[in-house]
Amino acid sequence: MRDLTAHQLNQRLGKGINFGNALDAAAGALRLTEAYFDAVRAAGFDTVRLPVRWSGHAAERAPYTIDGGFLDRVDWAVDGAMARGLNVVLNVHHYDELQADPDGHAARFLGLWEQIAARYAARPDRLYLELLNEPHGALVPRRWNALLADALAIVRDANPGRAVIVGTARANDIDALPDLRLPDDDRLIVTVHYYAPFEFTHQGATWLPDTERWLGTSWGTGADRAAVVSDLDAAARWAAAHDRPLFVGEFGAYSKADPPSRLRWVEFVRTQAERRAMSWAHWDFATDFGVYDPERDAWRTPLLRALIDP
């Protein structure tokens, strides 16, 4: 694992896709199949990001044992992706209780990481561990900086050389990068998520209030493009100043955006990230943001082409 620098490990992530609404969701969610891994590899993606809601499958009391059957499901997904030569980013996702009450759940969060880190310690270095998806709420920067250092120390006990991915507070917002304080560790990749402008990317989103008023928002003017450039330039400046590689772990636009605007936004964000040596993972594979239609068992080809050059 020491043969590659953090920057090289980040470049290896390359072009990624999130398998959202699968291992991070309840019943009725996307059911992963072998065919999905084959399709992702054949399309030209390098990486699968696996969001996992470990907190929904673990005991409430120490040692916070994770359900064995659920662990087997995660193993199957990790190994299925890696068997096809894909990198895997494995994270802790949707730990809502931790976001609301860090002090009350910090010990459980660390207990989960003790188990995850030990279980996957023998996997090849194409497995990357991401400490927590979108820290926010009561996990303000000061509190998150302290907790991430504790979690990283636990991961390092079992995985001294593995690439670890760490995001900013305020839900991995680029503007929160200046508040991020990282331990002295040369195997870290910093992740940000990008959904700006939110009124465009989340117009009509059913899980958020009052988003119907944004319906009809288009994207693609010179000012629209300049705003993306400004945001990613700010992230790139921070990365250069701190000598940290950047992974855009999520970006995408909801399906209710008009298709031409959606394609323009996705392609522009993707290409601008690549120009700044940022790896990326689109959100996501097969939800309402998805590039794949599970009902037709087929790619949404225009959106795929916005991500993967033919």
Side-chain angles (χ1 to χ4, degrees):
M1 294 185 186
R2 288 288 180 183
D3 292 341
L4 299 177
T5 68
H7 290 277
Q8 290 169 327
L9 288 164
N10 185 51
Q11 286 302 297
R12 191 173 67 182
L13 286 173
K15 306 172 186 292
I17 194 80
N18 279 274
F19 273 144
N21 206 30
L23 297 170
D24 57 320
L30 176 70
R31 184 174 180 81
L32 297 180
T33 70
E34 298 276 357
Y36 290 164
F37 294 111
D38 291 332
V40 164
R41 187 57 175 165
F45 290 97
D46 305 300
T47 296
V48 165
R49 183 170 178 258
L50 286 176
V52 181
R53 190 173 188 171
W54 303 96
S55 58
H57 302 271
E60 297 291 335
R61 297 183 181 277
Y64 314 108
T65 303
I66 300 170
D67 176 74
F70 185 70
L71 282 166
D72 290 342
R73 286 178 57 197
V74 178
D75 288 350
W76 173 87
V78 168
D79 294 338
M82 297 188 77
R84 289 157 176 85
L86 292 160
N87 308 302
V88 175
V89 174
L90 185 66
N91 81 356
V92 170
H93 211 86
H94 288 322
Y95 196 164
D96 300 331
E97 302 89 343
L98 175 69
Q99 313 279 10
D101 181 14
D103 292 335
H105 282 266
R108 187 168 183 251
F109 174 66
L110 298 176
L112 295 178
W113 267 116
E114 285 183 5
Q115 297 170 73
I116 299 165
R119 189 172 185 93
Y120 296 105
R123 292 303 197 282
D125 67 354
R126 287 187 175 274
L127 176 66
Y128 298 60
L129 300 177
E130 181 181 342
L131 295 182
L132 181 67
N133 180 69
E134 296 189 347
H136 64 275
L139 268 179
V140 296
R142 174 189 55 78
R143 188 68 184 89
W144 172 232
N145 289 335
L147 185 57
L148 77 84
D150 291 341
L152 179 62
I154 286 172
V155 172
R156 284 287 173 250
D157 281 344
N159 298 261
R162 188 175 303 282
V164 175
I165 298 175
V166 182
T168 69
R170 304 211 306 271
N172 291 2
D173 190 356
I174 287 172
D175 290 342
L177 282 168
D179 296 323
L180 184 62
R181 301 290 181 268
L182 296 173
D184 183 13
D185 187 304
D186 65 358
R187 313 298 287 169
L188 295 180
I189 296 169
V190 174
T191 186
V192 293
H193 291 178
Y194 195 73
Y195 291 104
F198 203 72
E199 295 83 355
F200 169 72
T201 63
H202 283 68
Q203 57 187 291
T206 56
W207 63 95
L208 297 171
D210 302 324
T211 60
E212 293 83 3
R213 71 183 188 277
W214 299 335
L215 288 171
T217 303
S218 60
W219 188 91
T221 67
D224 291 337
R225 293 170 186 267
V228 172
V229 168
S230 177
D231 289 341
L232 295 185
D233 276 348
R237 285 193 299 271
W238 181 92
H242 294 82
D243 192 26
R244 297 290 188 181
L246 281 182
F247 170 52
V248 184
E250 292 184 19
F251 73 104
Y254 192 55
S255 60
K256 292 186 179 180
D258 71 89
S261 291
R262 189 183 183 202
L263 295 176
R264 284 193 295 268
W265 184 90
V266 167
E267 183 171 17
F268 192 74
V269 172
R270 186 265 297 180
T271 56
Q272 291 298 311
E274 289 175 349
R275 288 177 186 177
R276 291 159 180 80
M278 300 175 188
S279 58
W280 53 262
H282 180 260
W283 188 273
D284 70 345
F285 177 67
T287 68
D288 288 331
F289 286 78
V291 66
Y292 191 89
D293 185 340
E295 294 183 1
R296 294 189 303 114
D297 262 340
W299 293 103
R300 296 180 172 108
T301 303
L303 189 54
L304 178 63
R305 291 300 169 225
L307 291 166
I308 305 290
D309 294 323

